[in-house]
């Protein structure tokens, strides 16, 4: 599966952004999908994951209540709605896919897209 993320940008603290990740090749509904991020000087970390049907969603504690992951299997796209953004959310955000449901709440996905930069200013 090939993944293309978009929607990053610069926003002030308290603002919102919506990231999208379009998948091509493969059958999108066969994959669990996730969003990860990597801040400057830090390791890549799990942000949110969603199961194949979109019913089950998982979040890192740092984004729970502020971020929402969703997917549209008809459009082969996964989204990350980010509200109440904080400066510490500044990072390159990556979408990822895997066949294995056990990976959904980890950062150990098999397939990765290119990142999209999110910058939150105070």
């Amino acid at each position: 599966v090939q993944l293309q993320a978009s929607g990053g940008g610069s926003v002030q603290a308290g603002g919102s952004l919506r990231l999208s990740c379009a998948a091509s090749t493969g059958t999108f509904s066969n994959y669990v999908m996730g969003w990860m991020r990597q801040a400057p000087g830090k390791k890549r970390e799990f942000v949110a994951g969603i199961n194949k049907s979109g019913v089950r969603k998982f979040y890192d504690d740092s984004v729970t209540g502020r971020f929402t992951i969703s997917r549209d299997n008809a459009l082969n796209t996964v989204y990350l709605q980010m509200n109440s953004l904080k400066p510490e959310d500044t990072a390159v955000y990556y979408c990822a896919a895997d066949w294995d449901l056990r990976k959904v709440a980890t950062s150990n996905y098999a397939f990765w897209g290119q990142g999209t930069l999110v910058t939150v200013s105070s």
Side-chain angles (χ1 to χ4, degrees):
V1 61
Q2 294 182 327
L3 304 171
Q4 180 75 37
S6 61
S10 296
V11 64
Q12 289 191 326
S16 298
L17 283 173
R18 188 194 197 202
L19 305 183
S20 299
C21 176
S24 59
T25 70
T27 302
F28 183 69
S29 59
N30 284 346
Y31 298 95
V32 299
M33 300 297 298
W35 287 96
M36 264 55 71
R37 66 186 179 187
Q38 187 167 18
K42 295 188 176 182
K43 293 193 295 186
R44 194 173 296 184
E45 63 179 10
F46 167 80
V47 175
I50 189 167
N51 74 335
K52 297 174 184 180
S53 67
V55 171
R56 298 185 65 190
K57 304 175 183 183
F58 304 83
Y59 299 96
D60 183 77
D61 289 346
S62 64
V63 306
T64 297
R66 300 188 297 121
F67 291 11
T68 302
I69 189 171
S70 62
R71 67 189 294 163
D72 187 330
N73 286 347
L75 296 178
N76 293 347
T77 302
V78 62
Y79 305 97
L80 186 68
Q81 177 66 44
M82 304 185 295
N83 299 329
S84 302
L85 282 161
K86 304 175 180 180
E88 52 263 43
D89 294 318
T90 294
V92 177
Y93 283 71
Y94 299 88
C95 64
D98 202 291
W99 295 294
D100 190 348
L101 178 60
R102 294 171 295 180
K103 303 279 188 72
V104 70
T106 76
S107 59
N108 299 323
Y109 284 62
F111 305 100
W112 292 77
Q114 94 297 347
T116 185
L117 177 63
V118 172
T119 303
V120 184
S121 58
S122 57

